[in-house]
Amino acid sequence: MEPIHAFTDDALGTDDAVGLVTRLQRGEVSSSELVEAAIARIESVDAELGAVAVRDYGRARVRAQGAQRGWFAGLPMVLKDNVDVRGLPTQEGTDAFVAKPSPVNGDVARLFHRLGAVNLAKTRLSEFGFSGACDHPRQGPVRNPWHRDHYAGASSSGAGALVATGAVPLAHGNDGGGSIRIPAAVNGLVGLKPTRGRVPSDAMTRQMPVRIVADGVLTRSVRDTAAFLREAEKVYRDPRLAPVGDVTRPIDRPLRIAVVTAGIGREATPEVRRLTLETAAHLEALGHHVEEVDPPVPDWFADAFLLYWSMLAMYLVRTGPRARGTSWDSTKLDNLTLGLARHCRRNIAKLPGAIAAMGASQQASKRHFAAYDVTLTPTLATETPTVGHLDPTRPYEEVIDRLMDWVAFTPLQNATGDPAVSLPLATTAAGLPQGMQLCGGWGQEALLLQLALQLEEARPWPRMGA
């Protein structure tokens, strides 16, 4: 089956975001030309992908014709449909209520606006972002552009699919259990979850007992992700974090790299373990000291994170009528959301312990990164599932077991708040991208980006349209 892509001989060409910004600044292309090309590309692929939640082309065209400020001024992009954009509904991937247009931009939309980017649409996600695959009972799945019989990951699924196809050069995503890194891993992209507090998030995610959600971007190149972080901290800077700065060069010294191939409570498949060890060997060939170690936290972490995750579902279900208005209909929630809420109700007495375990994971991470600079893991424990494997109309127990078998490596950094990046460094025997994850200690995005630049230069990965 041929991959789905939108690359063509138009204003966007095959450039990444940095390349397009350079052309914009030189006057070689206009924002309107890029916006029109991106709109045409989205429309050329979305019928097969199912990536778009709501279009905003009219306002994008008006914005492209005006004067924008910011380093990304005039660059087309898309926002995920769980952040507030003035004048657009925030539907959050569910049919359980009818969202009204937001009266104001949330913090994430304001950030991208100040960077100068032009938002074209909001992208689809799994219901409230709970699943690693977007497979909606009514709308169907978001499909993987490398092979449409497989998922595009989630919860930033539409973002990953559109960037991989070349429809847009970069897209917003957010990550509460891997939701930037998962779609990056399965779509052959770069996806970095920043350190907690590095990038502004909307109010709801800031109010969590443990702030597990971080906002960022999915891109086709390491330099695009580096440029986003550099420019974002010019708009917003957490004084508790050292700046990322302008990362443009690969690492030039050997690092102590731990390799973890056992997921937390679950095992990677033999193929994924082999691909991870091949990546480790490549790092060693680049001069780094590589050592295989056990996971930095015990298996009980998986149950603690699941209970905390399920608490969020229970909160959404219980507060739905008050928070979402009279259109709220819990019968339209999918089985995963309802099952997670039940799981929390049945284990509510254990919730304080689960929250304490999240804090303990931060201390375990500090001890781990006192001995190592970076940790390499597979981003996901298995190859990308086929459409239907995580269908949320299946029984909850079946879906959650399959989900945890797959997503066994990404949740730890959401608990610790540490940064982690998925890079498209491996390909399965079936020809699907299989991301590899580099994890760093608190505030170490610059180090991860430097190592990522070295790997990108030494081992260029497959790209659509190349």
Side-chain angles (χ1 to χ4, degrees):
M1 186 176 292
E2 287 296 315
I4 303 167
H5 76 79
F7 290 98
T8 188
D9 185 19
D10 59 14
L12 289 167
T14 58
D15 285 320
D16 63 0
V18 171
L20 291 169
V21 168
T22 300
R23 291 173 58 208
L24 279 164
Q25 292 174 346
R26 290 174 178 169
E28 297 172 1
V29 68
S30 70
S31 177
S32 291
E33 289 172 319
L34 295 185
V35 164
E36 290 300 334
I39 290 170
R41 287 190 180 195
I42 292 171
E43 293 305 307
S44 74
V45 297
D46 192 55
E48 290 186 88
L49 296 177
V52 177
V54 59
R55 290 157 173 79
D56 198 20
Y57 296 159
R59 291 197 302 180
R61 287 179 168 120
V62 171
R63 180 162 163 77
Q65 292 171 358
Q68 300 99 28
R69 295 180 179 179
W71 194 81
F72 288 101
L75 188 77
M77 52 80 65
V78 288
L79 289 161
K80 186 174 174 180
D81 192 24
N82 64 351
V83 297
D84 288 338
V85 177
R86 182 180 59 82
L88 297 180
T90 305
Q91 197 61 55
E92 301 183 74
T94 184
D95 279 349
F97 70 104
V98 178
K100 296 178 181 178
S102 175
V104 295
N105 284 327
D107 289 331
V108 172
R110 281 197 293 269
L111 169 66
F112 282 94
H113 188 85
R114 289 186 65 182
L115 293 177
V118 179
N119 179 52
L120 305 182
K122 298 182 81 177
T123 56
R124 287 184 59 201
L125 64 151
S126 50
E127 184 168 88
F128 296 113
F130 287 129
S131 179
C134 181
D135 198 347
H136 193 279
R138 176 177 58 83
Q139 295 177 296
V142 179
R143 295 181 180 272
N144 191 309
W146 291 90
H147 197 300
R148 68 201 72 180
D149 288 343
H150 293 257
Y151 288 121
S155 63
S156 307
S157 44
L162 290 178
V163 175
T165 61
V168 289
L170 62 77
H172 160 256
N174 45 33
D175 190 317
S179 294
I180 289 174
R181 291 162 288 160
I182 295 167
V186 306
N187 289 296
L189 301 173
V190 178
L192 187 147
K193 184 205 82 69
T195 301
R196 181 176 297 143
R198 175 74 73 187
V199 176
S201 294
D202 279 7
M204 184 174 180
T205 61
R206 299 198 306 271
Q207 295 164 359
M208 295 178 179
V210 180
R211 187 175 163 185
I212 61 173
V213 178
D215 286 84
V217 291
L218 291 102
T219 68
R220 296 196 296 272
S221 67
V222 177
R223 70 175 187 170
D224 281 1
T225 295
F228 166 75
L229 289 174
R230 180 194 70 219
E231 297 303 316
E233 69 184 9
K234 293 177 183 177
V235 174
Y236 169 83
R237 171 92 187 283
D238 187 327
R240 298 168 296 178
L241 295 171
V244 176
D246 190 14
V247 180
T248 59
R249 295 183 179 181
I251 194 76
D252 59 0
R253 60 184 174 88
L255 300 176
R256 302 164 299 167
I257 299 179
V259 181
V260 177
T261 60
I264 299 168
R266 309 287 170 128
E267 293 293 326
T269 63
E271 181 182 32
V272 170
R273 173 176 162 78
R274 175 181 60 79
L275 292 170
T276 307
L277 293 178
E278 287 177 1
T279 303
H282 186 66
L283 285 164
E284 195 165 38
L286 290 171
H288 302 292
H289 174 74
V290 177
E291 179 182 351
E292 190 168 2
V293 302
D294 293 329
V297 293
D299 286 350
W300 51 251
F301 172 81
D303 290 335
F305 190 88
L306 176 61
L307 183 52
Y308 184 83
W309 195 240
S310 69
M311 178 202 69
L312 304 178
M314 185 182 74
Y315 173 82
L316 286 168
V317 172
R318 285 188 172 182
T319 62
R322 183 177 73 250
R324 315 292 173 175
T326 57
S327 66
W328 179 261
D329 183 353
S330 62
T331 66
K332 294 182 178 179
L333 292 167
D334 68 31
N335 287 349
L336 179 59
T337 301
L338 292 170
L340 285 168
R342 287 195 305 271
H343 179 77
C344 187
R345 287 196 301 272
R346 292 169 180 170
N347 295 277
I348 194 75
K350 299 178 183 178
L351 186 57
I355 294 174
M358 304 279 274
S361 72
Q362 297 175 34
Q363 298 306 313
S365 177
K366 288 180 181 178
R367 292 192 295 271
H368 175 80
F369 284 111
Y372 301 99
D373 299 305
V374 172
T375 301
L376 167 70
T377 78
T379 309
L380 294 158
T382 74
E383 187 178 72
T384 309
T386 54
V387 170
H389 185 73
L390 293 171
D391 180 346
T393 65
R394 292 177 180 270
Y396 164 75
E397 292 77 11
E398 180 181 307
V399 175
I400 196 64
D401 193 53
R402 290 179 173 185
L403 183 60
M404 293 185 73
D405 276 345
W406 188 36
V407 184
F409 290 91
T410 53
L412 178 58
Q413 288 72 39
N414 298 96
T416 65
D418 295 334
V421 61
S422 181
L423 301 174
L425 295 171
T427 304
T428 68
L432 287 166
Q434 188 75 34
M436 293 289 136
Q437 180 175 234
L438 302 176
C439 313
W442 185 268
Q444 291 297 311
E445 285 94 334
L447 180 66
L448 293 180
L449 289 167
Q450 288 175 320
L451 182 56
L453 283 168
Q454 184 186 47
L455 287 164
E456 184 180 37
E457 182 180 283
R459 195 177 184 179
W461 43 74
R463 288 184 172 90
M464 288 190 181

